[in-house]
Amino acid sequence: MLGPLVKFIRAMSSNTAPAEIAHAFAWGVFFGLLPKNNAVWYILFVLIFFLRIQRGVLSLTTLIVGFFAYLADPLLDQIGCWILTQPYMQAPMIKLMNIPFVAFTKINNSIVMGSLGFCLISYLPLFLISLLFTFLWRRYLGAKLKNLKIVKLIGKIPLVRKISDLSKVI
């Protein structure tokens, strides 16, 4: 668990392009909200390795959002039900569900479809918010945080020093 956290902190202050961090955050929210028991999640997870993104941010965001994703299930279920009950979606869904492999994607599940719909709509706003946060972190917050007395005090704790040393190795 410490590895992704260390990579996240290093990425926020490193020379990694802000867009790589922002894309990783948006994809992390996507993977965290999408149920993991379907083929869509695994196909997208494999495809993500072909993109240039910051994997530490992706891992940490996926873990955190995935831990709290059950709280969003009622909303995602309503979104999915709305999408799946639209008249223009019924004929294509019937045809898709008759294809053998497509059934493994479980896109006829309201939570899966709601997650897909919600994440596709919210990807750009999440990307822009993360881009802004990365800019603010690098410009203002990161430097000020390092100079706080409490941060310097915490830095003297042996476990924190070991984690800091680990971040230099990774």
Side-chain angles (χ1 to χ4, degrees):
M1 178 62 188
L2 293 178
L5 180 61
V6 169
K7 287 181 181 179
F8 174 76
I9 293 170
R10 286 187 66 212
M12 292 304 290
S13 302
S14 71
N15 287 332
T16 304
E20 292 178 21
I21 296 170
H23 280 299
F25 176 76
W27 275 105
V29 171
F30 195 98
F31 285 127
L33 287 178
L34 192 63
K36 281 91 182 144
N37 64 347
N38 61 68
V40 173
W41 195 90
Y42 293 105
I43 291 167
L44 290 174
F45 188 74
V46 169
L47 291 177
I48 198 74
F49 287 106
F50 294 103
L51 299 177
R52 186 178 177 114
I53 61 170
Q54 218 297 321
R55 287 179 180 53
V57 174
L58 173 72
S59 301
L60 188 66
T61 306
T62 301
L63 285 172
I64 292 171
V65 172
F67 187 73
F68 295 105
Y70 71 93
L71 298 172
D73 280 351
L75 173 68
L76 297 175
D77 184 45
Q78 288 179 351
I79 294 170
C81 282
W82 181 80
I83 293 171
L84 290 171
T85 57
Q86 296 301 309
Y88 59 84
M89 285 294 290
Q90 291 176 2
M93 288 303 291
I94 291 170
K95 288 180 183 178
L96 282 174
M97 287 298 110
N98 288 328
I99 300 172
F101 177 74
V102 176
F104 294 118
T105 62
K106 297 184 182 178
I107 58 172
N108 60 337
N109 182 322
S110 61
I111 294 179
V112 172
M113 184 57 81
S115 297
L116 285 171
F118 177 78
C119 291
L120 289 173
I121 290 170
S122 66
Y123 187 88
L124 185 61
L126 288 171
F127 172 79
L128 294 173
I129 289 169
S130 179
L131 200 61
L132 178 65
F133 178 76
T134 304
F135 172 76
L136 293 174
W137 177 273
R138 289 183 177 178
R139 178 74 96 190
Y140 304 107
L141 301 174
K144 289 186 179 187
L145 207 60
K146 285 182 184 178
N147 296 328
L148 289 176
K149 289 181 183 180
I150 188 79
V151 172
K152 290 180 182 179
L153 256 168
I154 291 172
K156 293 181 181 180
I157 298 172
L159 178 64
V160 175
R161 264 191 270 144
K162 286 185 180 182
I163 294 171
S164 176
D165 293 341
L166 176 67
S167 72
K168 293 174 186 170
V169 173
I170 295 177

